[in-house]
Amino acid sequence: MLYAIWSQDVPNSLPMRKEARPAHVERLQALRDAGRLEMAGPCPAVDSTDPGEAGMTGSLIVAEFDNLEAAQAWADSDPYIAAGVYETVTVKPYLKVL
């Protein structure tokens, strides 16, 4: 089943994001390589594809996991959490209609 992982950043998260990004992206690439990643990306703090120093306000990941517990465990081990980037992380089942 698909699960949506919605994460909200702490204020001024850009320096922490930059430091933890390689490890964060590596995990996403592993999901993609396993055929389990539907989409992933950040939410810019401003209405721009290149927000620069404005940074990001959070992230959305939609991926396939065996169950909610597995999705939550994967989300809880995100390098962005360890780096202090995320203030909150919400994991919910997701049904792709279109």
Side-chain angles (χ1 to χ4, degrees):
M1 179 165 194
L2 292 176
Y3 293 86
I5 302 170
W6 180 256
S7 306
Q8 187 69 34
D9 283 19
V10 298
N12 304 311
S13 64
L14 188 58
M16 295 175 286
R17 269 184 171 269
K18 287 180 178 179
E19 185 174 327
R21 188 173 190 278
H24 172 78
V25 170
E26 184 177 325
R27 293 177 78 235
L28 291 170
Q29 289 171 333
L31 276 180
R32 180 199 62 203
D33 293 348
R36 297 173 39 208
L37 183 65
E38 285 288 317
M39 71 172 80
C43 301
V46 295
D47 190 12
S48 173
T49 58
D50 182 9
E53 291 303 309
M56 306 297 171
T57 61
S59 301
L60 173 63
I61 298 167
V62 178
E64 184 179 336
F65 293 93
D66 291 337
N67 53 51
L68 180 58
E69 292 78 20
Q72 186 69 58
W74 187 90
D76 289 345
S77 64
D78 193 306
Y80 278 174
I81 290 177
V85 172
Y86 291 151
E87 184 172 59
T88 61
V89 177
T90 302
V91 180
K92 293 183 176 186
Y94 178 80
L95 296 175
K96 181 178 179 180
V97 175
L98 298 175

